[in-house]
Amino acid sequence: DTEVTQTPKHLVMGMTNKKSLKCEQHMGHRAMYWYKQKAKKPPELMFVYSYEKLSINESVPSRFSPECPNSSLLNLHLHALQPEDSALYLCASSELAGRRNEQFFGPGTRLTVL
Amino acid sequence: GQQLNQSPQSMFIQEGEDVSMNCTSSSIFNTWLWYKQDPGEGPVLLIALYKAGELTSNGRLTAQFGITRKDSFLNISASIPSDVGIYFCAGKPVRDRGSTLGRLYFGRGTQLTVWP
């Protein structure tokens, strides 16, 4: 099983809503990532978790709140988002966080903020 | 942060032609990865390279880790319509704290269009 799954596939939310994105992998990977991607641009790193601990937060606004409940799951809690937060949100995982570790991406959640 | 220069930005080719794209960095890298992304989907890893001079193939795709350790190349032979998509290079610089924590630097992508 070399798959990273993400739910939901699509999400439309208002600026006052609270929602969560979910990511799961069963490859035994110990590093998991959240990325944000705008159309025709490369993915931008948001957060890195290594051994279920947050190791990188790329100065992401507090309206995005990550959570790693266990080594297989990664959540991204969303609250009071802005229309400019509309994007494809990608989850990825790798065996470890350091060198020589390929990142495998999920299919993404297409988020639209109205 | 680290800048990766990926070229060309876009390519329009006829089915059956070969394709070449490359990525250069201003510093030495110890990891080069090549991904392909279809519209609305996540990037899919094509090839991973970890050693200067390394040449690795995946079907019709061949990628190389440049001997200067500051560049990488991806070639696609005999292109077919399903090769259409955006190709991203990505990598990790040597002696980069963020890379040891998991940060991956991306090129801006090469948009490939294949005409039948």
Side-chain angles (χ1 to χ4, degrees):
Chain A
D1 184 3
T2 58
E3 196 177 330
V4 176
T5 59
Q6 290 187 244
T7 56
K9 179 78 173 166
H10 301 276
L11 179 62
V12 179
M13 60 186 290
M15 289 189 283
T16 58
N17 292 157
K18 281 187 185 181
K19 297 286 184 184
S20 296
L21 309 184
K22 296 186 183 301
C23 175
E24 192 165 3
Q25 57 87 12
H26 294 289
M27 295 178 274
H29 289 175
R30 302 314 300 267
M32 296 186 76
Y33 312 77
W34 280 117
Y35 288 85
K36 173 183 177 182
Q37 187 180 30
K38 292 282 200 179
K40 300 197 185 293
K41 300 287 187 187
E44 297 173 34
L45 184 64
M46 300 174 72
F47 303 103
V48 180
Y49 273 85
S50 181
Y51 288 90
E52 295 132 67
K53 289 192 182 347
L54 185 65
S55 57
I56 294 181
N57 175 342
E58 294 283 51
S59 303
V60 178
S62 59
R63 57 185 184 270
F64 294 91
S65 174
E67 179 197 18
C68 190
N70 61 54
S71 60
S72 300
L73 293 174
L74 188 65
N75 298 322
L76 186 62
H77 303 298
L78 314 172
H79 173 54
L81 295 194
Q82 304 295 312
E84 60 264 28
D85 296 322
S86 299
L88 183 67
Y89 286 83
L90 295 163
C91 174
S93 73
S94 63
E95 194 172 331
L96 297 170
R99 181 182 175 236
R100 285 186 164 265
N101 284 287
E102 304 104 57
Q103 292 184 19
F104 296 92
F105 285 84
T109 293
R110 171 69 60 190
L111 174 67
T112 303
V113 181
L114 301 176
Chain B
Q2 181 66 228
Q3 296 291 324
L4 289 187
N5 295 310
Q6 185 173 351
S7 65
Q9 193 172 353
S10 60
M11 299 184 77
F12 298 84
I13 63 168
Q14 195 128 29
E15 185 177 356
E17 289 183 3
D18 296 344
V19 171
S20 287
M21 59 191 78
N22 70 80
C23 209
T24 60
S25 63
S26 56
S27 61
I28 294 170
F29 273 41
N30 57 29
T31 299
W32 285 104
L33 306 174
W34 285 92
Y35 290 91
K36 179 188 181 228
Q37 188 172 24
D38 292 330
E41 298 293 329
V44 173
L45 181 66
L46 300 173
I47 293 177
L49 302 159
Y50 297 113
K51 206 168 159 186
E54 184 180 356
L55 188 71
T56 297
S57 293
N58 177 3
R60 292 177 296 105
L61 278 60
T62 302
Q64 184 164 22
F65 194 133
I67 57 171
T68 67
R69 300 169 73 188
K70 291 186 178 181
D71 55 12
S72 180
F73 306 87
L74 176 69
N75 295 317
I76 305 173
S77 62
S79 58
I80 60 178
S82 61
D83 291 334
V84 165
I86 300 181
Y87 292 79
F88 289 104
C89 64
K92 294 191 175 186
V94 172
R95 285 189 287 275
D96 180 88
R97 169 99 179 123
S99 292
T100 62
L101 297 175
R103 183 180 293 121
L104 199 55
Y105 294 90
F106 282 84
R108 292 183 180 275
T110 295
Q111 172 76 63
L112 178 63
T113 302
V114 180
W115 301 104

